[in-house]
């Protein structure tokens, strides 16, 4: 039915219906697509905050005092490498992050992305991968 159709731009861009593929680096393409979406979202949100001079980006416990030097993509790859979690955990982490911003408001920025990512992935791992 049309009501059940998935309209999420993020979901479509992840190519979740496509066969599982990996990049030459060994990182699954779905994760590279996710991290690319996160990077674009961060740039768009920070530009929006600068151009509109919005001061209503709520500071949460996930905000750092400065942005880390490591890109979100590299951070995601490190989490995948050292946690040995399934790529599905990152998709669930995206859902958790979306829900967080729906409830709390605010924007994904370079000041909160890393902390939100590791926390969301950790919760997803506990839900999906822990036995």
């Amino acid at each position: 039915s049309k009501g059940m159709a998935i309209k999420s731009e993020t979901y479509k861009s992840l190519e979740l219906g496509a066969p599982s593929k990996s990049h030459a680096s060994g990182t699954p393409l779905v994760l590279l697509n996710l991290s690319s979406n996160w990077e674009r979202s961060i740039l768009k949100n920070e530009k929006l905050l600068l151009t509109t001079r919005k001061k209503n980006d709520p500071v949460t416990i996930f905000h750092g005092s400065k942005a880390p030097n490591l890109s979100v993509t590299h951070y995601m790859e490190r989490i995948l490498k050292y946690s040995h979690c399934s790529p599905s955990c990152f998709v669930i982490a995206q859902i958790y992050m979306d829900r967080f911003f729906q409830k709390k408001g605010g924007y994904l920025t370079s000041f909160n992305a890393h902390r939100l990512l590791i926390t969301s992935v950790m919760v997803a791992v506990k839900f999906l991968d822990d036995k």
Side-chain angles (χ1 to χ4, degrees):
S1 81
K2 281 189 177 184
M4 297 296 287
I6 297 173
K7 298 178 182 177
S8 170
E9 184 178 311
T10 302
Y11 183 89
K12 290 176 191 173
S13 69
L14 293 178
E15 301 175 16
L16 290 175
S20 182
K21 300 176 188 172
S22 291
H23 186 263
S25 67
T27 304
L29 287 179
V30 66
L31 298 187
L32 293 176
N33 288 339
L34 252 180
S35 65
S36 175
N37 284 339
W38 291 330
E39 297 277 359
R40 280 194 310 268
S41 180
I42 289 167
L43 290 173
K44 182 180 89 175
N45 291 338
E46 288 179 349
K47 184 177 180 181
L48 174 73
L49 288 169
L50 284 174
T51 59
T52 60
R53 305 242 186 258
K54 285 191 176 187
K55 299 294 183 200
N56 63 349
D57 183 27
V59 176
T60 67
I61 59 171
F62 296 104
H63 278 72
S65 57
K66 66 177 194 154
N69 292 331
L70 193 63
S71 74
V72 171
T73 300
H74 287 113
Y75 191 56
M76 181 263 323
E77 288 173 335
R78 287 182 58 85
I79 294 170
L80 180 66
K81 178 180 177 181
Y82 293 110
S83 72
H84 304 290
C85 68
S86 63
S88 304
C89 293
F90 290 88
V91 177
I92 299 300
Q94 171 68 48
I95 294 168
Y96 291 156
M97 289 175 16
D98 286 344
R99 288 181 180 174
F100 174 79
F101 286 117
Q102 285 175 355
K103 284 191 177 248
K104 298 290 184 187
Y107 302 92
L108 184 66
T109 66
S110 56
F111 292 96
N112 63 15
H114 295 74
R115 291 177 181 189
L116 277 166
L117 178 59
I118 191 64
T119 304
S120 299
V121 169
M122 182 181 64
V123 173
V125 167
K126 297 301 276 177
F127 181 74
L128 291 176
D129 289 352
D130 268 4
K131 295 181 179 41

